[in-house]
Amino acid sequence: MTLLDQPTSTGRGGPELPQERRLVTEIPGPRSREWLTRRAAAVSAAVGETVPVFVQAAGGGVVVDVDGNSLIDLGSGIAVVGVGNAAPRVVAAVQEQVERFTHTCFTVAPYDSYVEVCEALNRLTPGDFEKRSALFNSGAEAVENAVKIARAATHKQAVVVFDHAYHGRTNLTMALTAKNQPYKNGFGPFAPEVYRVPLSYPFRDGLSGAEAAERAIHLIEKQVGVQNLAAVLIEPIQGEGGFVVPADGFLPGIADWAQSNGVVFIADEVQTGFARTGTMFASEQFGIVPDLVVTAKGIAGGLPLSAVTGRAELMDAAQKGGLGGTYGGNPLACVAALAAIETFEQDRLADRAQRLGEMIQQRLRALRADDPRVGDVRGRGAMQAIELVVPGTTEPDAALTSRVAQRMHQQGVIVLTCGTDSNVIRLLPPLTIPEELLAEALDLLVETVRAA
Ligand code: PLZ
């Protein structure tokens, strides 16, 4: 009999889980190690992994593994479970729906929750103009559809994206994504008519927002031409690319230029959306009103759902039947989204994100003040990061970053890294994490960076 044949705890997830960091074995423990062995024999070696534990339950601010270790979650499954894992409203809504019907395909036989999610998105996204939405499964799929919509509406083809951008792993979105390893290497050829221009990256370029916008616009006008350009696509704060917060004025500069030149301005709010940055959408904090907003991740408490929302005349431009897919707006995901959106609003999770952000910034700025390897502390709300460098320079220190992340995992805290140079540690706690738990994780992070 192997360990895996023995029953594991039957404990449920959700916020009722004990909110504590508790290590009862080394990380990974014996049960996780058995699963890692089975994983290696069954799962493609090309599918990555960050933390070497297998999950048994999760909720509030913790993830409990199959050995009974309780880890503090500062990753939210990559910014997904903002409302917490197994959030009570989400669980109840999905349980009720799963017993009614699981799927009809909205484009075959429609149902109410799809329409209600679109109504909610039209209400919540920036802009007081007439809007429409369409639902898909993943962030990448929604980004692709935003590009399709912009092309259909403008009868133009080119798309401009930025250095360090991340938009997905499908063929078109690989072309839109900047970083080669591991996302693109060996997977070409990539889609044409994608043009990349420099971002505003205050820690590295020293430019004002207006200067960085002017630099990008000049390149677009000279190398692409507005008469060919369907859309400019940008993450308001970059996610995978390093949690880069552009200098003030950069986003409005780009958006104003696009919108006065017949170019669709698309905000990819897949990672920044749904209260994560302290407002429902990050665009609000930068004073931009995108023509199209792409959402996913936080939208449905962990069920796969994504959306494109925007100006009705753009959203309605493609031919009838031109947008769709078998599962897009699946009824389980839609009721989960309605429950998640109710939770964001009723529990004022955007305010919570701001409060968590203040705690994180305070702690990490103090660290930066006495450790020159912490080159930059940046972020908004509960989307914060430190960029680790060789002291006194902006030269990335990826080795230090990976050591810190691994050491955090061994101590029972899930943290993720990011950045084109893999030298950024990012914090994305569930917005339901208890403050004491976040404080404990931040203390550990500070100690771990100092000791690494
Ligand atoms: N746009 C801004 O952050 C997904 C990628 C994880 P999907 N980011 C996490 C990984 O290693 O694959 C993301 C994003 C932004 C688009 C996407 C794509 O969303 O739901 O992963 O397709």
Side-chain angles (χ1 to χ4, degrees), residues 155-245:
H155 305 287
K156 298 190 280 184
Q157 295 185 345
V159 181
V160 160
V161 288
F162 291 81
D163 283 339
H164 311 288
Y166 184 91
H167 298 291
R169 296 174 181 265
T170 56
N171 187 262
L172 174 58
T173 59
M174 274 193 294
L176 301 169
T177 290
K179 192 174 174 178
N180 176 48
Q181 283 286 15
Y183 308 123
K184 302 167 74 165
N185 192 53
F187 297 149
F190 304 112
E193 289 307 316
V194 173
Y195 301 88
R196 191 172 308 285
V197 296
L199 185 73
S200 162
Y201 195 151
F203 176 61
R204 293 186 173 274
D205 64 23
L207 298 180
S208 72
E211 288 163 345
E214 204 180 292
R215 174 177 67 177
I217 290 165
H218 179 77
L219 285 173
I220 300 170
E221 286 179 338
K222 295 301 160 196
Q223 298 185 5
V224 188
V226 290
Q227 64 277 24
N228 302 305
L229 185 57
V232 171
L233 168 65
I234 191 164
E235 301 153 82
I237 299 173
Q238 285 195 329
E240 306 305 306
F243 278 32
V244 183
V245 183

Side-chain angles (χ1 to χ4, degrees), residues 209-434:
E211 288 163 345
E214 204 180 292
R215 174 177 67 177
I217 290 165
H218 179 77
L219 285 173
I220 300 170
E221 286 179 338
K222 295 301 160 196
Q223 298 185 5
V224 188
V226 290
Q227 64 277 24
N228 302 305
L229 185 57
V232 171
L233 168 65
I234 191 164
E235 301 153 82
I237 299 173
Q238 285 195 329
E240 306 305 306
F243 278 32
V244 183
V245 183
D248 284 345
F250 176 74
L251 288 168
I254 300 285
D256 290 349
W257 173 84
Q259 289 168 334
S260 51
N261 281 285
V263 174
V264 179
F265 181 79
I266 308 172
D268 178 343
E269 291 242 19
V270 167
Q271 192 150 162
T272 51
F274 291 99
R276 170 59 52 192
T277 65
T279 46
M280 196 51 112
F281 295 99
S283 293
E284 298 162 43
Q285 292 179 53
F286 294 98
I288 52 171
V289 179
D291 300 306
L292 299 177
V293 178
V294 182
T295 53
K297 289 192 186 281
I299 190 174
L303 276 86
L305 187 72
S306 64
V308 182
T309 301
R311 291 183 184 276
E313 64 275 20
L314 301 177
M315 293 298 298
D316 290 342
Q319 63 279 14
K320 183 82 182 168
L323 304 178
T326 305
Y327 291 116
N330 167 272
L332 297 173
C334 283
V335 299
L338 294 172
I341 289 167
E342 185 185 324
T343 305
F344 285 120
E345 293 196 287
Q346 304 260 312
D347 297 357
R348 306 180 61 86
L349 291 183
D351 295 345
R352 190 97 215 301
Q354 260 176 38
R355 166 88 195 106
L356 300 178
E358 282 158 20
M359 282 179 64
I360 297 170
Q361 284 247 340
Q362 195 189 17
R363 209 70 189 82
L364 297 184
R365 283 193 178 144
L367 171 65
R368 177 172 182 248
D370 63 22
D371 190 334
R373 296 170 305 165
V374 180
D376 197 18
V377 176
R378 58 178 180 248
R380 292 283 170 97
M383 180 172 187
Q384 299 283 344
I386 50 176
E387 175 157 2
L388 299 177
V389 293
V390 175
T393 73
T394 56
E395 194 186 316
D397 195 340
L400 172 64
T401 308
S402 135
R403 267 200 319 278
V404 170
Q406 273 181 28
R407 190 72 200 100
M408 289 299 283
H409 301 160
Q410 285 155 7
Q411 296 174 96
V413 182
I414 299 178
V415 293
L416 308 175
T417 59
C418 63
T420 299
D421 294 298
S422 310
N423 68 321
V424 177
I425 295 200
R426 54 171 153 171
L427 307 183
L428 291 164
L431 307 180
T432 52
I433 191 173

